[in-house]
């Protein structure tokens, strides 16, 4: 969810009064919207999420309510200068008789207090997506409770086109409309892959067809690896885990790896570079295959004899040992942990503490050569963290922090913790500018979110408020009628 306030207009911060209600102030702490909300978020473009009476809504920078406080949850997504609100609200679909529960209080052990024949409560969730500038709700769907059909991470856009799941929308003059067809997604050159039945075609942003190629998703791909013939199923299940490759095939039986439909995957693959590694095993045990953008290479992740590894394959079918050929290509897990390049590829090995076990590596936002590293020297020792520059082969921040986390919208400002505490009420977080090494805020906060919401636990009581990550200013009213 976007939270950075990066427009040239006046920045507003949630401001907490002594009464506990939230309003908004400017950067200096001057009130702009009077305290009246139970909770409030930072602005996304011109809009912010507020809460009243246990329900959430949306206001603009003038304090005008755009969406009333009637939803269980609200998320905002910035689409260029436009903002979308994803709302959901729980309700009882009692008229769904086929989903009533028979004898809801029945127990095989007896003694049930609930003597009803039926439980008529059928919980459902109403999801809506609204373009906030004109309050146009363009998606409204009903789902079972617990389903999450729309997430901000699934909303992609380029120029005035917005892709939500497999539906494409166009924003013109602050109106949004659904375009015909289903779409698999944006390709690496910002064209689109449009679906027609089981076939796919490339179209531009005006939905005009690009080229004559027609693609399908093959069930199996046949390869010759050295002297061996191998079959790779597009979808298979190995040890209970689904393995899926993004293969696509054109009319000439050329194979591609989505979303790169320009580079042909080789169907004839050479023997590997050394005799200790079997190319047929690499292919047969492959778990993931990527096309490395702006190169002639594919990256294959394979697990052979319980050992995982990454292998670089040229489009002409020969193997490459020089990992620098992948340029700045990175692979991360769903949790954000770096899978490729490895610690060795980054040149980090000789600069790590002795006997250090790396547990997490994450590429920093806005600086492709800086990596946050966490790990331990012993299995039972506390974790330590630092930030490594793979280009300069040096530490930007030494491995002397208990934890590090980047703040949203502020690429060089990081939350840090010096000493690990198992009791969360005793934790202490501060802020540091990693570019200068200057500490902005000493570690005084019990909790601190990535968007600047701080919490202090004192005398069995929590106090929540927002801070300015650049200056460290606190946006709250204190007992002396002064702002911190």
């Amino acid at each position: 969810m976007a939270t950075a306030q990066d427009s040239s207009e006046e920045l507003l911060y949630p401001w907490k009064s002594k009464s506990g209600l939230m309003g908004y102030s400017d950067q200096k702490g001057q009130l702009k919207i009077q305290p009246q909300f139970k909770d409030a978020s930072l602005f996304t473009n011109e809009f912010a999420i507020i809460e009243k009476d246990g329900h959430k809504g949306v206001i603009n920078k003038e304090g005008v309510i755009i969406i009333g406080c009637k939803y269980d949850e609200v998320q905002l997504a910035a689409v260029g200068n436009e903002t979308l609100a994803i709302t959901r609200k729980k309700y009882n679909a009692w008229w769904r008789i086929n989903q009533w529960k028979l004898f809801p209080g029945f127990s095989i052990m007896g003694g049930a207090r609930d003597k009803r024949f039926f439980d008529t409560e059928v919980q459902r969730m109403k999801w809506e997506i609204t373009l906030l500038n004109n309050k146009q709700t363009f998606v409204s769907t009903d789902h079972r409770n617990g389903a999450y059909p729309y997430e901000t991470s699934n909303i992609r856009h380029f120029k005035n086109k917005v892709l939500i799941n497999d539906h494409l929308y166009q924003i013109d003059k602050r109106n949004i409309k659904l375009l015909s067809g289903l779409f698999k997604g944006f390709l690496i050159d910002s064209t689109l892959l449009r679906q027609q039945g089981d076939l796919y075609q490339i179209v531009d942003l005006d939905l005009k067809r690009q080229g004559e190629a027609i693609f399908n998703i093959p069930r199996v791909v046949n390869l010759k690896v050295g002297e061996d013939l191998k079959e790779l199923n597009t979808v298979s299940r190995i040890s209970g885990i689904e393995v899926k490759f993004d293969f696509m095939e054109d009319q000439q039986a050329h194979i591609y790896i989505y979303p790169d439909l320009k580079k042909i995957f080789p169907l004839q693959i050479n023997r590997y570079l050394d005799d200790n590694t079997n190319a047929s095993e690499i292919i047969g045990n492959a778990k993931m295959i990527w096309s490395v953008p702006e190169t002639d290479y594919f990256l294959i992740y394979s697990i052979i004899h319980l050992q995982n590894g990454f292998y670089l394959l040229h489009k002409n079918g020969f193997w490459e040992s020089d990992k620098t050929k992948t340029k700045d290509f990175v692979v991360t897990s769903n949790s954000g942990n770096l899978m490729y390049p490895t610690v060795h590829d980054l040149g980090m090995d000789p600069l790590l503490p002795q006997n250090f076990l790396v547990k997490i590596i994450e590429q920093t936002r806005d600086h492709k050569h800086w990596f946050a590293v966490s790990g331990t020297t012993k299995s039972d020792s506390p974790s330590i963290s630092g930030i490594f520059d793979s280009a300069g082969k040096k530490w930007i921040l030494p491995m002397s922090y208990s934890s590090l986390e980047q703040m949203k919208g502020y690429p060089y400002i990081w939350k840090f913790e010096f000493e690990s505490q198992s009791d969360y009420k005793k934790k202490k977080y501060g802020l540091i500018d990693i570019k200068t090494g200057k500490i902005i805020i000493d570690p005084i906060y019990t909790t601190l979110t990535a968007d600047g919401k701080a919490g202090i636990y004192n005398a069995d009581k929590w106090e929540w408020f927002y801070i300015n990550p650049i200056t460290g200013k606190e946006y709250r009213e204190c007992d002396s009628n002064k702002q911190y």
Side-chain angles (χ1 to χ4, degrees), residues 272 277 282 298-302 304 309-313 319:
Y272 197 66
T277 306
I282 295 174
F298 298 90
L299 186 66
I300 300 175
Y301 174 65
S302 190
I304 304 173
F310 288 89
Y311 303 88
L312 204 54
L313 178 66
W319 300 93

Side-chain angles (χ1 to χ4, degrees), residues 118-129:
F118 293 101
D119 180 359
T120 61
E121 184 174 1
V122 181
Q123 287 194 352
R124 301 287 293 180
M125 194 72 75
K126 185 77 168 182
W127 288 76
E128 294 181 336
I129 305 180

